[in-house]
Amino acid sequence: MALIEEKGSSLSFLTDNVVAATVADALSNLSEKRKALGLENPGTVDNISREVQREVLLSNYMFSGLRCDLQKIFSVAPLFRLQHGFAMGSQALPPWQLMALYGTPRIFMQGAFSSDQSITAWGNLRISDKLVCKTQTQIDPKQGQTMVQFDNEYTGDDFSASLK
């Protein structure tokens, strides 16, 4: 059974009234004015902060100790990659880490298992060209911390909205 029924039905009062017509007219006028301005999408807050943290700040390039990353790409379409990481002399990085990555135009998944028995996973699902659902998970048994974060991001023609 459809939620919105034809005119004259018991639910038609939701769409065939003065308030609904006024709201629809206001939204239509707002949409026309936004299109007339010719605004571009400014991007998301995450992309701006990522640009500053990775491309401006030098903290990602500062490292003391020894680090070695070995990776093997098994497939390009769909993308599938395994990576082993080894580090010595670093307090931030675990001594050993195994990472796996899988990606298609719609789905991206990445996971890591460290020698300190922590698990970290990221995933993105592109539902449409404008709507992306993201998730991050981190399990660290030594510190007793578990974190799961969900983020839904909508990218419009002249705005971006995010719900975490």
Side-chain angles (χ1 to χ4, degrees):
M1 178 177 179
L3 294 175
I4 299 175
E5 305 205 6
E6 293 184 23
K7 209 171 205 175
S9 71
S10 62
L11 293 178
S12 64
F13 72 92
L14 293 174
T15 57
D16 298 338
N17 62 49
V18 177
V19 175
T22 304
V23 169
D25 187 43
L27 289 175
S28 176
N29 288 339
L30 181 64
S31 178
E32 289 174 10
K33 288 179 183 179
R34 284 180 26 213
K35 284 183 183 176
L37 289 173
L39 299 174
E40 294 181 9
N41 188 317
T44 63
V45 174
D46 290 339
N47 286 344
I48 293 170
S49 66
R50 183 178 306 125
E51 182 177 319
V52 169
Q53 290 173 353
R54 290 190 181 172
E55 297 176 10
V56 176
L57 300 177
L58 295 176
S59 59
N60 284 342
Y61 301 108
M62 296 170 55
F63 181 79
S64 62
L66 175 69
R67 179 177 176 178
C68 176
D69 290 323
L70 304 171
Q71 66 178 348
K72 173 67 176 170
I73 298 174
F74 290 98
S75 175
V76 176
L79 181 61
F80 181 69
R81 179 183 83 184
L82 284 178
Q83 177 177 335
H84 291 277
F86 304 96
M88 292 174 59
S90 172
Q91 295 178 1
L93 295 174
W96 175 81
Q97 186 174 37
L98 173 67
M99 295 179 68
L101 180 137
Y102 173 79
T104 67
R106 271 192 72 231
I107 298 171
F108 172 79
M109 296 183 294
Q110 183 174 352
F113 177 74
S114 300
S115 59
D116 60 359
Q117 299 178 350
S118 66
I119 298 172
T120 307
W122 305 269
N124 292 1
L125 173 63
R126 182 171 297 282
I127 295 175
S128 68
D129 289 340
K130 297 184 179 236
L131 182 62
V132 177
C133 296
K134 302 176 181 180
T135 181
Q136 294 181 12
T137 306
Q138 185 175 11
I139 302 170
D140 192 351
K142 290 187 177 181
Q143 296 181 4
Q145 295 178 347
T146 300
M147 185 270 303
V148 177
Q149 177 180 335
F150 297 100
D151 183 9
N152 298 301
E153 189 174 280
Y154 182 81
T155 306
D157 294 332
D158 58 355
F159 71 96
S160 295
S162 180
L163 176 66
K164 290 186 179 188

